[in-house]
Amino acid sequence: MAVQLEFLKGIPYFSGLGSVELESISKLIFEKAIDRAETVVFEGEPAAYLYFVASGAVKVFKTSAEGKEQILSIVRPGESFNDVPIFDGGPNPASARAMGPVLLYGVKRNDMETIFRNHPPIALNVINVLARRVRQLVSLVEDLSFRHVISRVARILFEHVGGEVGRGPRLTQQEMAAMAGTAREVVGRSLKALEEEGAIKLDRHRIIITDKEALQKIMGVPS
Amino acid sequence: MIEMPIIDVQKCDGCGLCIGVCRCNALAIIDRIVTIIESMECDWCTDCEGVCRTGAISCPFEIIMQES
Ligand code: SF4
Ligand code: SF4
C-alpha cells in the first residue's frame, strides 16, 4: 500500500506543505507493520529511523533496573516517536512497543536530513512538536520526582472506599490523576507500588484495601 | 453479568484506537459507534481508557475495604 498523502498532510511535522512537496517526501517514507506487544525501538540502542504512527497506538516507556516500566507517552496516529535520537545522533532514550496492531511510517535518519534540506519550513513545525513534547515531559518529571504522589493516591483510595451499606463512587485512573494533580501514567504506577507494599490488591475492576494501617502509614497518618 | 468498561457514545468519534489495543476483542465498532462485548478475558488493563483521546471510554474502579 502506498503512503497516503492525505494522511501526511495531517501530520504536524508536515503541516503547511503542498501536495507536490508531500509527494516527494512520501518517496522517502516506508511502511512497517508491527504486531501487538512488538518492541520497535529499544532503549539504549542506536537510532536509525524516525517513526510516525499511521494507525494504532504505541507506548513509549523506560524500564528501571528492577524491571519496572514507566510510560512516558502514548503515541497516536499522526504523532511521531524516536525524534530525539534522530536529531542528536545519540542512542534511543526510551523503548517503544505496539499496544495493538500498528502501522508505522518510517524515515531513515539520512533521509530526514534530506527532507530538512529540501523543505526548510519543516524546521518550524518540528520545533513546535518538540517544544510540546518537552512541556509534557517536564510535567511528568515534576510528578515522578514528587514522592508524595503515592501518598496522595493512597488518600484518594481511603476517602472513596465504599461503605458497608452501599457502593462508594467508582473512580477511573484519569479521575484519580485529576484529583492527585498528576498524570494518569503516574497513578498507574502508584497503584502498582501500593500493591507491592501490600496495602491494596488490584482485583480486576476492584481495588481492595487489604491493609488499612499500611495505607494510612503511606498517607502519612500515624496509626 | 460481568462488569465492563463504560462507553459514552456521545463522546466517541469512532476512531477505533481502543479496539486495536484491546487484547480480548471486547470492543467493536457497530454502525460507527464503539460497542462493548462482555468478555471474561477483559482484565481491566485500562489500555482502552488510556488510548482514547476523547474520554469516551472509562474503566472505573470500585474501592472496597477487605473484611477483617
Ligand atoms: S478510542 Fe475513544 S473515540 Fe476512539 S473508538 Fe474508542 S471510545 Fe471511541
Ligand atoms: S480494559 Fe483492557 S481488556 Fe478490558 S476492554 Fe479495555 S482494553 Fe480490553
Side-chain angles (χ1 to χ4, degrees):
Chain A
M1 210 175 74
V3 169
Q4 303 289 318
L5 287 192
E6 265 317 299
F7 182 80
L8 291 187
K9 253 186 214 159
I11 293 181
Y13 257 59
F14 304 131
S15 87
L17 294 187
S19 300
V20 180
E21 291 161 302
L22 288 174
E23 177 86 50
S24 83
I25 289 173
S26 72
K27 296 200 172 80
L28 300 174
I29 295 180
F30 63 90
E31 282 191 341
K32 184 181 170 85
I34 51 171
D35 286 333
R36 173 187 308 284
E38 201 175 313
T39 305
V40 63
V41 164
F42 289 89
E43 183 178 344
E45 290 193 356
Y49 309 104
L50 168 72
Y51 290 110
F52 299 99
V53 173
S55 67
V58 169
K59 68 172 172 182
V60 174
F61 63 99
K62 282 188 87 75
T63 315
S64 72
E66 305 88 54
K68 283 197 195 117
E69 239 179 47
Q70 173 63 54
I71 298 181
L72 301 181
S73 60
I74 292 179
V75 190
R76 301 177 176 85
E79 296 166 354
S80 53
F81 62 95
N82 225 21
D83 337 45
V84 170
I86 289 301
F87 296 134
D88 74 1
N92 301 319
S95 304
R97 184 178 300 148
M99 293 176 75
V102 170
L103 182 69
L104 298 172
Y105 284 173
V107 190
K108 257 199 272 167
R109 199 167 160 215
N110 296 347
D111 288 343
M112 202 59 219
E113 279 174 29
T114 309
I115 293 176
F116 266 110
R117 228 172 296 116
N118 295 345
H119 312 278
I122 287 184
L124 265 182
N125 293 342
V126 177
I127 289 171
N128 256 316
V129 169
L130 293 181
R132 223 174 303 140
R133 192 90 43 83
V134 170
R135 193 177 283 284
Q136 183 239 331
L137 287 175
V138 165
S139 70
L140 191 63
V141 167
E142 258 173 10
D143 289 344
L144 289 173
S145 52
F146 200 33
R147 171 70 203 150
H148 300 314
V149 172
I150 293 185
S151 72
R152 290 209 296 268
V153 172
R155 182 173 295 276
I156 290 166
L157 296 181
F158 200 75
E159 286 172 355
H160 293 85
V161 67
E164 279 165 27
V165 268
R167 285 169 26 158
R170 299 181 59 184
L171 293 181
T172 64
Q173 289 191 18
Q174 191 65 57
E175 287 161 341
M176 291 184 221
M179 287 178 190
T182 187
R184 190 180 180 278
E185 290 80 358
V186 182
V187 168
R189 201 166 101 147
S190 302
L191 290 175
K192 284 207 189 93
L194 287 171
E195 189 172 34
E196 275 162 23
E197 305 220 2
I200 64 166
K201 189 164 158 290
L202 293 166
D203 176 21
R204 201 168 174 267
H205 64 285
R206 289 200 185 90
I207 297 173
I208 305 164
I209 299 177
T210 46
D211 188 341
K212 192 173 153 194
E213 279 76 38
L215 193 72
Q216 282 178 314
K217 213 160 139 203
I218 296 166
M219 279 161 58
V221 177
S223 49
Chain B
M1 221 186 83
I2 168 170
E3 291 275 351
M4 291 300 290
I6 299 161
I7 291 164
D8 180 344
V9 289
Q10 304 293 330
K11 288 189 189 162
C12 172
D13 64 9
C15 73
L17 274 181
C18 57
I19 296 163
V21 302
C22 179
R23 264 165 268 253
C24 65
N25 300 322
L27 300 158
I29 296 250
I30 299 172
D31 291 335
R32 297 180 58 87
I33 291 176
V34 82
T35 310
I36 199 122
I37 303 150
E38 274 190 30
S39 166
M40 292 298 283
E41 283 169 50
C42 163
D43 62 355
W44 223 256
C45 68
T46 79
D47 279 356
C48 51
E49 176 188 294
V51 85
C52 179
R53 263 189 267 239
T54 64
I57 189 156
S58 56
C59 305
F61 288 90
E62 191 181 342
I63 303 153
I64 51 179
M65 189 71 76
Q66 191 171 62
E67 303 286 320
S68 50

